[in-house]
Amino acid sequence: MRRMLVGALKVGLSLAIVAWLFSRAMQGEAFDRLHAQMVGPGFQWGLLAAAFVSLLAAVVVTFVRWCYLVRALGIPFTMLEALRLGFLGFLFNLAPMGIIGGDLLKAVVLARQRPGQRAAAVASVVVDRVIGLYILFVVASAAIVLSGFYRHGDPQVRSIAVTTLVGTLAASVVLAAVFIPGATQGRLSAALGRLPYVGRQVGHLIEAVRLYRNSPGVLAVSSLLTVAVHSLTTLGIYWITLGVYNGGAGGIDLMSEFVVVPLASATGVIPLVMGPMELVIDYLYVRVFALEWGQGLVVALGYRIISLLVALAGVAFYLGARQELREAISDDAAEETPTVESTTSFRQRAGSHAAAA
């Protein structure tokens, strides 16, 4: 019952945010401009098709990255398996079908397929997500420096830019610190793992660091793949903007999109079906590109539609693995995260996994 109430609250909050965005867009000229494009010159379907290909490629590269991270821990894992579980996870993240999320789904199914490798399966998913989020801010920070956004004329945009730079620097220091030998051992790491609400997640992160600490090459290659992911995503949204508005979207430039899109994408950590990303894109499109309220919302909805089309590939995998997924959900979702092996067992195997990487 509690999970049902939480799920209903998430959906309700998402719908409330989107409804508010729509009401504000209706007061402006966003939908009038969109209608004019549809009955006039129309969309640039070639750009929208290019956006689909770019976003599809971005999603596939994330599966390649995860496959590489899994193999680095010595777990036998084929690219076909990575695509299968990756598309399933992507589908579940876009349209939650119960009480299990896409990341948890991948960890649970991989752990069931590889008995005795549960800790490594969880670690691969945790590190995959952490790298993805961290590189988002790295890409945004690089674009901020190269484009001079920290000197932007709008004080709010300038404040966001400076905050992003400071946050990226702080995150870099923290991540560097946790990779110092001894930082994830002893009483401190044990105490962090017992924190209320977030202790389980922190514990998984600490154990993931232990596994990957001696594999800097793996983390470097994964980071480069992540740069490709965010670049393809940004390019896709840029093409959606030009395609929807027939190339007449004002002063939009690709370099600025490399600031806007990663910052909006970072809101994906908020456990809502939709809403936060649409809100941030709409806000930044007004502040950065001087568009009307609602025009960014139209672009964000276009991105959502294309993402759903990409996720259709996951439907075929879902239909072919329903029994397996039901077993995984019923057995493991009740704990919300997979049970990780004991610290003692984990430490005994961490060295061998790192050497295999």
Side-chain angles (χ1 to χ4, degrees):
M1 178 62 70
R2 177 176 173 272
R3 292 190 184 92
M4 292 179 63
L5 291 176
V6 171
L9 179 62
K10 290 179 180 179
V11 172
L13 185 56
S14 296
L15 293 176
I17 294 174
V18 174
W20 178 72
L21 289 172
F22 266 98
S23 65
R24 185 171 63 178
M26 293 295 292
Q27 299 172 5
E29 301 180 2
F31 291 130
D32 291 338
R33 289 175 180 268
L34 182 63
H35 180 263
Q37 292 297 134
M38 294 178 67
V39 300
F43 295 161
Q44 290 194 11
W45 292 104
L47 287 174
L48 294 176
F52 172 82
V53 173
S54 183
L55 293 174
L56 174 61
V59 170
V60 171
V61 173
T62 64
F63 304 156
V64 174
R65 180 186 66 200
W66 182 48
C67 182
Y68 181 63
L69 287 169
V70 173
R71 289 177 177 177
L73 296 180
I75 303 177
F77 197 51
T78 67
M79 188 57 65
L80 181 60
E81 289 177 302
L83 290 173
R84 173 174 173 265
L85 292 182
F87 272 117
L88 281 173
F90 187 69
L91 176 65
F92 271 61
N93 276 334
L94 284 180
M97 300 177 185
I99 58 176
I100 186 168
D103 288 339
L104 176 56
L105 171 70
K106 294 192 298 184
V108 168
V109 175
L110 180 60
R112 291 175 66 86
Q113 293 176 346
R114 305 293 189 275
Q117 300 281 6
R118 185 181 293 270
V122 175
S124 70
V125 173
V126 171
V127 170
D128 185 64
R129 174 52 66 95
V130 170
I131 289 176
L133 182 60
Y134 173 65
I135 299 300
L136 263 178
F137 286 97
V138 171
V139 169
S141 296
I144 287 171
V145 172
L146 292 175
S147 63
F149 252 67
Y150 55 90
R151 299 190 302 266
H152 197 278
D154 188 306
Q156 294 185 355
V157 173
R158 188 166 62 249
S159 176
I160 292 172
V162 172
T163 301
T164 300
L165 292 175
V166 173
T168 302
L169 179 60
S172 300
V173 171
V174 171
L175 289 176
V178 299
F179 277 92
I180 297 175
T184 56
Q185 306 290 340
R187 295 180 179 179
L188 178 59
S189 62
L192 292 175
R194 292 193 297 268
L195 289 174
Y197 302 110
V198 299
R200 186 187 297 270
Q201 288 72 25
V202 171
H204 289 330
L205 178 58
I206 290 174
E207 292 178 348
V209 169
R210 289 170 182 160
L211 279 175
Y212 285 99
R213 179 187 287 121
N214 297 323
S215 304
V218 171
L219 299 178
V221 172
S222 299
S223 298
L224 290 176
L225 289 173
T226 307
V227 172
V229 169
H230 298 322
S231 298
L232 288 167
T233 301
T234 300
L235 188 59
I237 293 180
Y238 175 69
W239 281 336
I240 289 173
T241 305
L242 298 184
V244 167
Y245 293 110
N246 198 26
I252 286 187
D253 63 279
L254 184 57
M255 179 60 76
S256 297
E257 285 279 30
F258 270 92
V259 177
V260 171
V261 174
L263 293 180
S265 299
T267 61
V269 300
I270 301 174
L272 294 177
V273 179
M274 62 187 303
M277 181 179 181
E278 286 79 1
L279 181 64
V280 174
I281 284 185
D282 197 33
Y283 175 82
L284 291 177
Y285 265 44
V286 172
R287 291 292 181 180
V288 175
F289 301 127
L291 300 186
E292 300 287 341
W293 288 109
Q295 287 188 275
L297 172 62
V298 171
V299 172
L301 293 177
Y303 167 75
R304 292 288 187 181
I305 291 172
I306 291 180
S307 295
L308 287 173
L309 293 176
V310 171
L312 287 178
V315 174
F317 290 117
Y318 172 73
L319 295 176
R322 282 178 293 180
Q323 181 60 36
E324 183 180 15
L325 294 176
R326 278 196 294 268
E327 293 175 358
I329 291 172
S330 62
D331 291 349
D332 292 89
E335 299 180 10
E336 295 187 2
T337 53
T339 302
V340 181
E341 297 163 327
S342 67
T343 301
T344 302
S345 173
F346 176 88
R347 289 176 180 173
Q348 290 174 346
R349 295 213 323 270
S352 61
H353 286 318

